[in-house]
Structure formats: C-alpha cells, structure tokens
Amino acid sequence: MRRFQGIPHKMKSARIGRVATSKVPMLSRGQTVLVQEASSPAGLGFAAILGTDAITGVFAPPSISGLSAEDLRALNAGDIVLVQPDGSITVLWEASLLNNAFLLSTACNCRCMMCPQPPETHSPHHLEMAQQVLRLVDPGFAGEICVTGGEPTLLGERLFQFLGQCTKIAPKASIVLLTNGKRYADFKFTKEMAQLGLQRIMHCVSLHADVDELHDQIVGSSGSFVKTQRGLHNLAKFRQRIEIRCVVSKLNADRLPQIAWHIYRNYPFVEHVTFMALEMTGLAIENQIDVWIDPFDYQKLLEEAVRSLHRAHMRVSVYNHPLCLVSPWTRSFARQSISDWKNIYLQRCEGCPGKASCCGFFSTSESRLSEHIQPLKQME
Amino acid sequence: MSAQPYTILPFWFKRYHGAGLLMVNECGEYHFIDYADFDALISYKLPAKSTNMLDLKSKHFVSGQDIDQTIEMTATKHRTRKMFLNNFTSLHMMVITLRCNHRCEYCQVSCEDQDAHKYDMSSAVAKKVVDCIFQSPAPAIKIEFQGGEPLLNWSAITTTVEYAETINKTAGKYLEFVICTNLTLINSDQLDFIKSHGISISTSLDGPQGLHDSNRKLRIGESSYLAFLDKLKMTQEVLGADRVNALMTFTSNSIGRVTDIIDEYVRLGFSGLFLRSINPYGFAAKNVASLGYPMSEFVSAYREALHYIVKLNLEGTRFIEYYTTLLLTRILTPFPTGFVDLQSPSGAGIAGAIYDYNGDVYPADEARMLSRMGDSKFLMGNVFNNTYHDIFMGDIIQDLVKKSCLEIMPGCSSCVYRPYCGADPVRNYLEYKDAVGKRPGSPSCIKHTGIFDLLFGQLRQNDQPTMDVFWAWITNREVGEVSLA
C-alpha cells in the first residue's frame, strides 16, 4: 500500500477518510480528508487536512503538513486514506485503480513456505478497518474488490457479512476471494457461501501440487491437499466460479506439467488457472534456500504446463513473470499482475520493447531477482 | 492396516511396442512406464519420491495418504465419464420408408423397390412414434429420418417435424432433426423446408466417382455419383456446408484408396469424415465375399488415413476424422462421451432406438435387420400395442444392458482399453447367437484394439504438431488457435 509521511498537528487519533481536493459540504466533512496545496483557514469539520504548510490557530482541524507537492498530487479525490497521530498517511483504497484489496485478517490455517505475508494471530482490527473503508467506497465502483488475508474464510459468518456489504455498497464491483480453499471442505460452509447468492464472486483457490505430500509440505500443514481437493469439488457442486492459483517455487517447478494435467483431469470446471512467480519477501525470503528458483530455469516446464491447459481449452494465465523470463510461446499468457503500488521496472528495462505489456517486478522482491533479466530482442 | 508402503488401486496394463507398458485406470487416466519401474511398483519397491511414483499418485493409480479421498476422487471421475447414462434415450431413428432409388452393394437395411408403397410410414404411425419419443426423459432429442430413402416419403417427414415441434412447445426439449439421405432426389421445396426448420443432412459418399459408383448403384443403372454431386452442390448452397455431413463405408474396393477418398471429401467441401468399416447385415451379408476384408486391412487403411488427415491439417486444411475425435476425447478428457455403438453398457435402447415404418421399436438398426432376416429377438414392442414403459423398461432392453457392461464381460474386463471401449450386443448376437459373444479376437475387437494401439502410439510419440491437431479436433477449434503458431 502506498504510504506518505508528514508532520502531525492536533492528530489525536487515527482517522479513516475519503480524500477530497476541494471543499465539500459541512455535513460530510467528518469522513473527509481534505488535500490542499496552499493552506486555507476555512477547514472546519474535516477529519484531517493534508498540505505542505502547517495550519495554525485555535480552531484549526487536525492536519498533517510537510508533504511535498508531488505527494499531494498522488492523492486523488475518492481515495480512502488512514491518517495516524504519527503523521503517516496510508492509502487504503485508490479510486483510480481497477483492483483494490481488503485484508480481513492475517491469521491463516496454512504456513506456506513462500508466503510473502507471514501469518499472525488474529486481530479484529483488520476487519474493522476494512469495514470502515468499505463504507466510504463510491457506490459506482465497477472494478474488482480483492478480499484477502491470511485466510479470509476463517472469519466464517463475519466474512459472509462483509461480502454481503461489498455487493450492497458497490453492486457493480466484482469480488475475488483469495483462499486456500480448505474451509470449503466443509459442505455446509460452502453451501452457506453459495446461498449468499453473490453473482460476481470468484474463489481463487491456491493449489501448489498434484500430490498430497508435496502440497502439504509447501503449505506447511498436513492434510491440506485433501481439504483443498474436497473444497474445490464442493465449490463446483454449488456452481461457484473458481480460479486455481499455483505459486511456482523450487519445490514444485519440476512438476508443473503434471500439476496442469492433474488440474484438467480433476477440476475441469474451473474458470481460470494461473501460475504465479514468487514474491520474495516474508517467509519466501526466510525460506529462500528451499523455495527460490529463477523463472528462467523452469520456462520450458511452464510452457508445457500452459500448453497442455490451453490445448484442453482451459483459460490459463501466467502472473508475476516478466516477459524476458518466460519462453516466447508463453508470453501471450503473461499478465500485468503486480499491484501498482509495489510494481517496479529496472534500469535495464528501459528500451525493452516488451515493457508496456510486461508485469515488471515486485518492489518487495528486489533483493532476489533473476539473473536473466534483459530487454527482449524484439517483440513477437 | 496395510504393511505395504503404498496402496495400488485397480489398473489395467499392456506391454507396449517392446518399450515398456501402458497402464490405464478406472478414471480413464493412462501412464507409460518402463519395465523396471513397473516391476518395482508391483513389488512395492518404487521409491516414494521417484517421478513415476508421484505421477502415479497424481493420476490416482496409487493412493495418497488418505485412501478414502483417493477413492472419492476416482469415483467422481468415473461417475463423470459415465454421465452419458443419465439422460436415457436421446437418439430416435425413424424408418420413413423402406423404399429406395439406390440398390447399394453393401446396404445393411435391405431396401425395397421404389414403388413398394406398403413399406412407407404413414402419418398416423409417425405421430404415434413422436408421442412415444417425447416420453423419453432425455432433455435433448435427436430425431433421425432413415430409410430406405426417406425423401421418397416426404410427407411423413414434414408431418413428423411439424408435429414434434408443436409438442415441443410445451415439452421444451432441445430438439434436433437429421435426414439421412442419398440426396439424389432432393428438390428446392424440400430444401426450403429443411432450412427453415434447421434440419441437418447426413449423406453418403464413398470416394471418387469410380469407387462411389461401384458401391452405390441407382436402380435404373446410371451413375449415382453424378446425380449426387449435382444435388450436393445445391444442398450446400442452400443450407451452408456445415449442415451437410457424409458417411463413408469402407469396402474391399476402398483398399489402397484412402487418400483419394479423403481428397474427394476435401474437394467437395466436407469438414470431416467418419471412416466406417462395413457391417455384415442385409445385402452386405450376401456380398461379404466380394466387399469384405480382414479387419486388419481396415486398421491399416485407418492408419494411413489418419496420418494423411493430420498432414492435411498441418498444411492448413482443417479436416476432421470423427471417430478418432471421439476416441481421443475419451482418452484425453475427463468428460463423458456417449456413442450408441461403442459404450459400456451399450447404447442400444438406452441411448438410441429405431422405429420401423410400421411402428415396431428396436434398440438398434441391426436389431431391425435381424428381424427382417427372420429373428425378432430384439423387437421391444410397437407404438400402437405397447406403452412407452413396456417398450423401454422391458426384458429386452434390460437384458441388453446386463450383457453389455464391459466391466464384467470376460476378456474385455481385463483389457487395457476397456475404459475407452464399448460393447455391441446386437452385433455379437448376430455373429455368435449370444449377446455377450466371443469378443476378444472378433472383427470388432481387432478393429478397436488396432485403432487404440495406433492412437496410444501417437500419444507416446507425443509429436507436438500432431497433438495440436488432435486437441483442435477434441475442442472444436482451429489448429492455429491451439498451437498459436
């Protein structure tokens, strides 16, 4: 998430508000964060005012100063931000993006060796904040709401309520729910999820292997593979839309073709299959000796996997793989999958004819990059 | 608690071209393995982390740690493959007339002279047949008009189509019609009707003129090919080429001519062909000495044809061999494929039924022919004298199902190709006076094991362009769409 740091004034508590760049009526100011380049005294009633210069005076509202003009320009009307007493500003929702994410909990019932965001014990704070943000979302938002964790399905009834609110507040938005699918092994739970009647939800289920011991090893929890398998079949029984996400690591790269075939033969009902490259942060860095593999080294296996699914008329995509690291045949399946706020390109990428359609890199992964990054010689 | 380090689930196998073995399991997965690893597998010494072990677990030949779950997955896949059984009879063939203007050498239906009107289906029979058809629980109904030459009794066709469409206004089924015709008598009024009711045409073409004429003869003695060609053009122009398909029958005259036959199909604008071996019924039974051949000849011709058709596709001519497509769909996809003549249990009666001109109902055309040859063993009833329940729930159909499950048929039950093959009890009865029959070594067995050997040889070879062609057929796409080349 995008963050800025300024100097706090009168900031007694953390506030969440929607960014406005011009004055708004008094009544809605309590949930509005005003962004203004030149200080103006008439800022009464705003949740906070962000600017370059400090606002002084007895009646001045809470504010954060010392922000650059560039920072301020990066905040757009409709963005939803968290402003904190330490002067930090965190953008929780970007109005200009087609995809915004809600992290509902950092708790998880897996501990994947390549997890970029290590699981923690549950704290209700994430869900509360997500609910506050959701209430401020523009009802016309027609992009994608990504619901993630941790493992969001662990929230049970509270997840159902949250998903219900999403469709109520932003009926045109589609929802992608990132899950390890284990909770769906419970038929009753899956039935309740289906009975929410959400038309626009896609369950993105992680599946990292075609055999139990390998998947369980990767996700750090025995019995997971079987639960996810049952979960996938339960979701299918309720005609839910499903995407399978397979993160490629050193542990499963040599089985990519077999994983693809296993998916086709056992889950031909899934709408989309994605192969994702590692995001080298969190546990992935901790376990880098076991998990790190240069995508360049498995490009033939990846091509074979994508080819077999594409032949079988399954929709398949390759995420987080820069174009120079996949085989030429695979390039048309590679998507720009990295969220804007952590998406970077390297110096070397300047002048690459593929840059405009390349996913680039995770800013979080800079410490561990492929040794084969280079501009494409020509575009296919 | 098993003392073994892993649990092997039931599978079938075959030594393969001197290069290891082919294994197949109940969910239709296949795996090639070398002798050493196979021996290690069955003596419970295959290392847990070896590629073959992981592959065999992935394909459910070997159970995972949770055997209940492995069986559940296998059951789900097995159930899916057998889903063609869910909907009961969907293909309903009506013998509109026995009369024909042709007298083909291999005719299996023993047609009658063009003026023998007593063999026409009356509109009263046609309507009664439609009433019976619509009692089938199948959500999709295909009514196929056969003969003789059905166009000789055109009014029965229009009556049936209009009556069925009226009934379907309330029944709401997915309703399709096909006319199986030699086309030589078709006229523009008929084509207008065919077009406006969305009817498809299935015709017959055996190859270039000489070959076609030597098999398919007009009663008046002229070349049937020229008459056919003329009307084919007209039909394709009115309906569009995709609504007109052709069947070919492979006779002894066709030996050595497969590429000519395929070229002829391509030249005439057909999108594919169905290589069919000759059936030993009707006139064909009498002419078996001159038209027949050992089934191994057919397999060789099929091999040559497949090779040639794949090459055509790779050179940019989209053309499909339909039987290969069916069999490959069974091998390579997890989906169900019904095919009346090759499924287990057999589709006779439970997937397809044929209504004779007089309203008699049979499980298959061959059963009707048997009746014409004097043995009415498979006559399930008559639409006037029997209820739908009598006809489709009677002893005959139940006996056919019981005797056509490959899973329990000696010889077939242990065949490596069993999950992909099927039984033809009526044909078995005709050949062996027993619906179970003596299948291993029968012509049908030689044909199918030969074709499966060939197809698995191709899969093992795994030539990438060939695989692109196969998948293009299976998924009904252009080769370029699959290969992205």
Side-chain angles (χ1 to χ4, degrees):
Chain A
M1 278 172 280
R2 220 185 283 278
R3 287 173 76 96
F4 305 96
Q5 185 65 48
I7 304 152
H9 307 277
K10 293 191 181 180
M11 292 285 306
K12 296 201 179 77
S13 62
R15 301 270 190 104
I16 288 174
R18 189 189 344 215
V19 169
T21 49
S22 57
K23 294 278 167 61
V24 296
M26 204 61 164
L27 275 176
S28 48
R29 286 184 183 179
Q31 293 182 327
T32 302
V33 171
L34 181 67
V35 172
Q36 56 176 16
E37 285 201 33
S39 72
S40 142
L44 269 181
F46 285 103
I49 295 182
L50 313 182
T52 46
D53 307 321
I55 302 167
T56 51
V58 183
F59 296 110
S63 65
I64 297 175
S65 66
L67 296 161
S68 70
E70 195 190 342
D71 289 348
L72 295 174
R73 273 196 301 275
L75 292 167
N76 299 304
D79 287 355
I80 298 165
V81 294
L82 169 70
V83 288
Q84 296 187 91
D86 65 358
S88 70
I89 301 148
T90 310
V91 184
L92 302 174
W93 180 278
E94 288 192 61
S96 61
L97 287 190
L98 290 174
N99 179 315
N100 277 285
F102 287 119
L103 187 150
L104 300 193
S105 168
T106 46
C108 190
N109 52 354
C110 285
R111 192 179 169 82
C112 298
M113 294 176 73
M114 67 302 184
C115 183
Q117 192 178 321
E120 295 161 4
T121 48
H122 176 70
S123 141
H125 143 82
H126 294 286
L127 181 61
E128 283 160 16
M129 192 159 80
Q131 281 163 335
Q132 285 186 54
V133 173
L134 184 58
R135 272 182 232 121
L136 298 174
V137 167
D138 173 12
F141 179 73
E144 203 173 77
I145 297 175
C146 174
V147 175
T148 182
E151 175 51 47
T153 59
L154 294 179
L155 291 170
E157 186 61 35
R158 282 167 295 168
L159 171 66
F160 297 155
Q161 282 164 5
F162 186 80
L163 295 173
Q165 281 171 317
C166 285
T167 35
K168 211 171 186 180
I169 289 169
K172 288 184 198 150
S174 51
I175 301 171
V176 295
L177 179 68
L178 307 191
T179 172
N180 57 40
K182 284 161 75 171
R183 194 72 204 272
Y184 296 128
D186 177 353
F187 186 83
K188 200 169 144 272
F189 177 83
T190 314
K191 188 175 178 183
E192 283 170 35
M193 171 65 86
Q195 280 171 341
L196 295 178
L198 306 173
Q199 301 299 311
R200 308 173 68 98
I201 189 167
M202 173 83 98
H203 305 268
C204 299
V205 178
S206 305
L207 186 77
H208 308 303
D210 57 335
V211 291
D212 49 12
E213 68 248 44
L214 183 55
H215 180 84
D216 289 357
Q217 181 198 353
I218 292 171
V219 304
S221 161
S222 69
S224 290
F225 183 69
V226 164
K227 284 190 181 143
T228 300
Q229 274 190 326
R230 288 195 189 130
L232 285 164
H233 277 171
N234 280 340
L235 284 169
K237 282 174 193 160
F238 289 104
R239 301 285 185 272
Q240 295 292 292
R241 297 173 59 208
I242 309 165
E243 170 177 311
I244 287 183
R245 296 190 165 194
C246 176
V247 175
V248 188
S249 68
K250 188 176 169 185
L251 297 157
N252 64 359
D254 63 342
R255 293 203 62 76
L256 281 174
Q258 291 98 323
I259 291 170
W261 187 247
H262 181 84
I263 289 171
Y264 175 57
R265 295 295 296 223
N266 293 281
Y267 318 109
F269 44 78
V270 305
E271 206 173 293
H272 191 196
V273 180
T274 56
F275 294 100
M276 314 178 69
L278 295 164
E279 181 180 354
M280 290 305 288
T281 181
L283 293 181
I285 279 290
E286 243 175 73
N287 297 318
Q288 61 173 314
I289 292 167
D290 295 316
V291 303
W292 167 252
I293 184 167
D294 188 334
F296 185 84
D297 294 334
Y298 61 75
Q299 56 174 298
K300 281 218 154 54
L301 293 158
L302 180 64
E303 175 179 324
E304 207 183 313
V306 172
R307 198 183 274 279
S308 79
L309 288 168
H310 174 70
R311 273 178 177 157
H313 216 172
M314 303 277 283
R315 195 154 73 86
V316 52
S317 298
V318 170
Y319 284 179
N320 312 346
H321 286 75
L323 296 179
C324 55
L325 300 181
V326 300
S327 73
W329 187 87
T330 317
R331 281 180 199 149
S332 65
F333 297 88
R335 313 272 174 252
Q336 290 186 297
S337 48
I338 300 175
S339 309
D340 283 22
W341 65 272
K342 56 176 171 181
N343 189 192
I344 55 162
Y345 295 86
L346 310 182
Q347 194 72 52
R348 271 168 284 176
C349 301
E350 298 310 318
C352 170
K355 191 184 165 195
S357 54
C358 180
C359 72
F361 304 87
F362 286 107
S363 57
T364 49
S365 297
E366 267 184 296
S367 64
R368 197 73 217 237
L369 291 172
S370 163
E371 285 162 19
H372 298 89
I373 298 161
Q374 55 176 339
L376 299 181
K377 292 205 177 62
Q378 61 197 47
M379 274 305 282
E380 296 287 309
Chain B
M1 195 68 191
S2 165
Q4 311 296 359
Y6 47 84
T7 306
I8 304 172
L9 297 171
F11 69 90
W12 293 262
F13 68 100
K14 168 178 184 162
R15 286 177 183 78
Y16 215 78
H17 300 328
L21 297 103
L22 168 68
M23 298 168 65
V24 173
N25 66 10
E26 197 65 83
C27 33
E29 295 266 18
Y30 68 92
H31 188 68
F32 294 106
I33 191 168
D34 57 275
Y35 288 112
D37 273 11
F38 184 77
D39 287 343
L41 169 73
I42 56 174
S43 34
Y44 294 96
K45 287 175 187 153
L46 192 60
K49 288 197 182 329
S50 67
T51 300
N52 265 326
M53 181 50 114
L54 295 173
D55 289 357
L56 289 165
K57 280 182 89 170
S58 176
K59 295 174 178 175
H60 299 130
F61 283 89
V62 171
S63 172
Q65 288 145 17
D66 185 338
I67 188 163
D68 289 347
Q69 173 64 9
T70 308
I71 291 171
E72 180 61 36
M73 294 295 287
T74 304
T76 301
K77 288 200 269 185
H78 184 69
R79 205 159 50 232
T80 305
R81 294 178 69 80
K82 293 284 187 189
M83 278 241 298
F84 60 84
L85 295 171
N86 279 15
N87 295 328
F88 211 62
T89 321
S90 61
L91 173 64
H92 297 268
M93 297 164 278
M94 294 171 66
V95 178
I96 292 301
T97 177
L98 291 185
R99 293 185 290 130
C100 192
N101 61 331
H102 278 55
R103 198 181 187 294
C104 302
E105 296 291 316
Y106 52 61
C107 181
Q108 63 168 37
V109 302
S110 300
C111 57
E112 298 291 339
D113 285 339
Q114 204 160 342
D115 54 2
H117 288 278
K118 64 175 175 174
Y119 296 112
D120 283 1
M121 183 179 276
S122 69
S123 66
V125 173
K127 286 182 174 174
K128 198 76 187 165
V129 167
V130 171
D131 287 338
C132 182
I133 290 172
F134 272 88
Q135 289 184 64
S136 167
I141 295 285
K142 184 190 266 188
I143 297 179
E144 223 176 76
F145 300 109
Q146 299 199 348
E149 170 49 51
L151 295 185
L152 286 171
N153 186 15
W154 176 248
S155 67
I157 294 180
T158 56
T159 301
T160 305
V161 170
E162 280 161 0
Y163 185 62
E165 283 174 345
T166 306
I167 291 184
N168 201 39
K169 276 182 191 151
T170 47
K173 292 177 187 284
Y174 180 76
L175 181 62
E176 271 185 290
F177 300 99
V178 180
I179 302 177
C180 302
T181 168
N182 61 45
L183 279 184
T184 53
L185 299 170
I186 207 157
N187 63 42
S188 60
D189 287 347
Q190 291 169 343
L191 280 171
D192 287 344
F193 180 87
I194 289 166
K195 184 173 185 180
S196 63
H197 291 267
I199 300 169
S200 301
I201 294 289
S202 174
T203 187
S204 301
L205 172 65
D206 284 355
Q209 183 169 7
L211 182 54
H212 187 83
D213 282 344
S214 68
N215 289 340
R216 304 186 57 81
K217 298 193 157 108
L218 283 177
R219 283 183 190 267
I220 49 170
E222 291 169 11
S223 163
S224 71
Y225 177 85
L226 294 172
F228 165 79
L229 206 59
D230 196 32
K231 294 297 175 69
L232 174 68
K233 282 216 180 77
M234 176 174 153
T235 305
Q236 286 174 331
E237 269 163 29
V238 176
L239 302 181
D242 57 327
R243 290 210 88 87
V244 188
N245 275 305
L247 284 175
M248 69 93 42
T249 303
F250 192 89
T251 68
S252 59
N253 298 324
S254 321
I255 293 171
R257 303 288 307 274
V258 284
T259 54
D260 298 340
I261 295 168
I262 294 160
D263 286 343
E264 181 72 0
Y265 266 74
V266 173
R267 190 177 72 85
L268 295 180
F270 289 104
S271 51
L273 129 163
F274 188 149
L275 273 170
R276 265 196 331 172
S277 52
I278 197 166
N279 280 333
Y281 311 103
F283 298 154
K286 293 177 211 154
N287 292 332
V288 76
S290 59
L291 296 175
Y293 42 83
M295 201 49 94
S296 53
E297 282 289 350
F298 178 78
V299 175
S300 307
Y302 181 93
R303 174 179 294 112
E304 189 191 348
L306 186 60
H307 181 78
Y308 186 68
I309 295 172
V310 168
K311 192 167 139 264
L312 280 179
N313 278 273
L314 291 175
E315 288 166 359
T317 304
R318 181 174 160 76
F319 191 76
I320 301 166
E321 207 293 305
Y322 294 114
Y323 206 50
T324 309
T325 306
L326 170 79
L327 299 179
L328 286 173
T329 304
R330 288 189 180 178
I331 297 166
L332 292 173
T333 84
F335 302 119
T337 44
F339 180 70
V340 179
D341 296 339
L342 195 80
Q343 63 186 49
S344 170
S346 154
I350 62 168
I354 187 157
Y355 303 81
D356 210 351
Y357 69 96
N358 60 3
D360 285 349
V361 189
Y362 296 93
D365 199 27
E366 291 79 0
R368 183 176 67 90
M369 283 326 305
L370 199 64
S371 204
R372 304 236 334 132
M373 290 154 79
D375 183 351
S376 56
K377 179 179 168 69
F378 295 115
L379 173 60
M380 300 198 293
N382 183 285
V383 290
F384 286 99
N385 308 329
N386 304 97
T387 64
Y388 172 83
H389 191 275
D390 290 343
I391 298 168
F392 283 95
M393 301 291 146
D395 292 342
I396 291 172
I397 202 165
Q398 295 200 26
D399 197 49
L400 280 171
V401 170
K402 274 188 240 166
K403 290 179 174 166
S404 64
C405 294
L406 294 185
E407 288 80 354
I408 52 156
M409 293 167 80
C412 291
S413 67
S414 56
C415 175
V416 69
Y417 299 132
R418 196 264 283 156
Y420 311 121
C421 201
D424 193 344
V426 177
R427 185 174 182 147
N428 286 333
Y429 179 82
L430 188 96
E431 286 172 12
Y432 303 104
K433 286 283 165 267
D434 170 16
V436 173
K438 300 187 177 95
R439 289 145 288 95
S442 71
S444 170
C445 179
I446 292 170
K447 171 177 164 181
H448 288 107
T449 50
I451 293 175
F452 282 123
D453 281 347
L454 169 67
L455 296 181
F456 276 97
Q458 296 281 314
L459 296 182
R460 191 191 167 87
Q461 213 175 321
N462 198 23
D463 172 62
Q464 294 302 305
T466 303
M467 293 306 293
D468 285 331
V469 173
F470 287 169
W471 279 106
W473 294 351
I474 292 170
T475 57
N476 196 21
R477 287 179 293 173
E478 299 288 334
V479 177
E481 240 180 285
V482 173
S483 67
L484 299 179

